[in-house]
Structure formats: structure tokens, C-alpha cells
Amino acid sequence: MRQELKSLPKTLADDVARNLVMVARTLDTEPEEAYKYSRVALRLASRVASVREAAGFASYMTQRYSEALTEFRAARRMTGRADLWPVMADCERGLGRPERALAMAGEPEVKQLDKAGQVEMRLVAAGARSDLGQHDAAVVTLQSPELASSAVHPWTARLRYAYAEALIAADRADESRDWFAKAAEADPEGHTNASERLAEIDGLEFVDALDPEVEEDEDRPAEPAREERRDHRDDGDDRVIFEEDEDVEEYYDEDDLELEEADEAEAAEIDRSRSERRD
């Protein structure tokens, strides 16, 4: 990039370089800001391939796929490189043209890609299959020596994660857990959410210890226990009765209440009989 900028006057090259640096710094965290910087660089030096490429990625990250495709094509014409081929195909997907993305996956340019580029092209092709509702074909597209390899590369986690998602879409969710686990194993930095998906399948729930709401719940004092009293009956029944009426209704069902009323009536009748005999 520095070599390309040498074709510009010194002051202009510095201005373009500053904007390109800001594109790189903000692309992942503030893509709209990156897009603004890229447009400034593009206005200053539209004939520099690196500028067109940076503008393409900034447009791609903000889902301006038509602009991104235009910039990537321009950069490719200027350099003759094929490394932008997968992201160009993904722009076709973003524009709702998965058939074109699949056609690009079969072009000779794919053979010019390095291993990472070929894996990226495979991911795009599988995504295009899914866009067309061809979920079984998407699974087959991702099955490759790279997927079967136990070696870990920068693209390994994304490939395994995509395969797990494709299995779910193909109604083979029972097979997906192992691949989410393999993706999580290859992704210690957490670039994918494989760990979360794995926990979801296992029925676990992550709690953010730094969440203010969680801290507030932990600091809140526990509610005092409700007072209890025991109704000691002659028959030895030690049943717990809560003070609140609604709790009493929950504890005793209707049959219990009827039995208690019958017991009380029977006890009253016995008392009357004893009183009459004494008289």
C-alpha cells in the first residue's frame, strides 16, 4: 500500500494514508465511520488500487453491496489479483443473486486462490446453496479435507461453525452439537459464538458477571421468610399452616376443607351428647 501511495504527491499521499489508517482502525467496531473515511480517501485517490479495495471492504461491512462490488471489481482490474473473488461472490449473495455466487464458485479464478481463499469460497458457495433452500447441498459443499482435518487454522472455527449451522438447516440437528464443540475448541478468542450455541444445546445459560442488573439482583436483600405456626391437633397431625389466606387455600384443597368442617360438626355433636347425659 505504501508503494502504491508513492505515485501520489507527498502531501496528498499523507492525507490518503491517514484516512486508510482510520478505515483499518474502525472497520470492525464502527463500520459507518470507516465508510466515511474510505469515501474521503476515494475522493482523493480513486486510481490507487489499495484505496478502491479499502472502500470496497468499508462498503461491504455496512451492507452497501452494490458499491462494494464496484470497488472490488475496480481493484481487481488494477492489480489482476484473484484474492477478492470470494468476497465479490458474497456481494452477489447480498444483492439477492445466489445463482451468480454459485457460478463464480466454479470459475477458474478459484484455482488461483490460496488455501484460505478456497475455504472462504466454499463458505460463500454453501451460503448460496442455503439461500436457495438447498440445505442438503450446502452440507455436502462444506464437506472437505479442510473440514475433516484436526489441524487448526485461522479459518477452521468458521468452517466448523458453518457446517454445524448447515446441519441444523438440513434437519440434522442431532449431529450439530459435535461440530459446535469442535468450532468452540478452535476458537479460543470467541470470534464465533460457538460456545454460546453449544451451551444453548446443552441447556446451559451464560450470566454476565459485569451486568449491572445482575449485580443489583445479587445486592438486593432476600425476602424475609413468612411466619409459620403449627396447628397441633389431638390426632398428632403437625401440618404447617401459613398466615396468609391465599397460602392456606393453596395448601389445602377443597376435600381437606370439607373434611375439617365434618370433623368440627362431629365434635360438636359429641359435646352435646355428653352434656345431655350429664344432665
Side-chain angles (χ1 to χ4, degrees):
M1 187 180 293
R2 184 179 291 115
Q3 186 64 33
E4 290 181 1
L5 293 177
K6 287 183 178 180
S7 63
L8 302 174
K10 181 66 168 65
T11 304
L12 180 59
D14 289 344
D15 289 341
V16 173
R18 291 189 183 96
N19 281 282
L20 292 179
V21 168
M22 292 308 298
V23 171
R25 286 183 176 178
T26 59
L27 188 62
D28 291 330
T29 57
E30 300 176 86
E32 284 294 339
E33 287 298 310
Y35 177 77
K36 294 176 183 177
Y37 285 115
S38 74
R39 303 313 289 182
V40 174
L42 189 61
R43 187 172 65 251
L44 295 174
S46 61
R47 295 186 179 182
V48 176
S50 296
V51 172
R52 304 302 291 266
E53 183 176 338
F57 277 110
S59 299
Y60 176 79
M61 291 294 287
T62 56
Q63 300 184 7
R64 294 176 171 90
Y65 297 116
S66 181
E67 289 183 23
L69 192 54
T70 297
E71 301 305 332
F72 288 142
R73 284 172 175 168
R76 183 169 177 274
R77 284 196 304 270
M78 293 176 180
T79 63
R81 301 192 335 253
D83 55 312
L84 294 174
W85 197 252
V87 71
M88 290 169 62
D90 207 35
C91 286
E92 295 287 3
R93 284 187 61 210
L95 292 169
R97 302 191 293 243
E99 298 90 347
R100 293 192 185 184
L102 285 175
M104 292 179 67
E107 294 293 333
E109 285 80 359
V110 176
K111 295 182 180 180
Q112 302 175 29
L113 299 172
D114 59 11
K115 182 63 67 176
Q118 291 176 4
V119 171
E120 194 67 33
M121 192 71 244
R122 191 177 292 276
L123 289 168
V124 173
R129 292 290 186 190
S130 295
D131 294 342
L132 295 169
Q134 302 171 4
H135 302 300
D136 290 328
V139 171
V140 173
T141 299
L142 292 171
Q143 292 172 345
S144 61
E146 293 80 16
L147 180 66
S149 174
S150 59
V152 176
H153 301 278
W155 37 261
T156 300
R158 293 180 57 238
L159 180 60
R160 293 174 178 178
Y161 184 92
Y163 188 64
E165 290 283 16
L167 288 171
I168 292 176
D171 294 328
R172 295 166 59 180
D174 55 326
E175 302 175 47
S176 67
R177 187 200 179 282
D178 288 343
W179 287 101
F180 278 127
K182 291 178 181 179
E185 181 182 356
D187 188 20
E189 300 297 326
H191 295 300
T192 70
N193 67 334
S195 296
E196 288 81 354
R197 294 301 304 276
L198 182 61
E200 180 182 334
I201 292 173
D202 290 342
L204 302 177
E205 182 179 353
F206 284 101
V207 177
D208 186 357
L210 300 180
D211 189 343
E213 294 184 0
V214 174
E215 292 181 359
E216 182 179 343
D217 290 340
E218 291 177 350
D219 294 338
R220 185 178 300 151
E223 295 182 2
R226 288 173 295 187
E227 293 184 3
E228 300 177 356
R229 62 181 174 85
R230 292 189 178 274
D231 185 20
H232 298 285
R233 300 167 185 265
D234 293 338
D235 56 4
D237 185 8
D238 248 1
R239 183 174 298 180
V240 176
I241 300 177
F242 293 96
E243 291 294 338
E244 299 177 10
D245 290 341
E246 59 183 16
D247 289 330
V248 173
E249 293 176 359
E250 290 179 3
Y251 191 86
Y252 295 115
D253 59 23
E254 292 182 359
D255 291 339
D256 287 334
L257 295 176
E258 289 177 359
L259 288 172
E260 286 185 4
E261 291 173 358
D263 291 342
E264 291 175 359
E266 183 178 352
E269 182 63 28
I270 292 172
D271 288 342
R272 282 195 298 272
S273 298
R274 287 176 178 173
S275 177
E276 288 175 358
R277 283 198 299 272
R278 284 197 298 271
D279 292 342

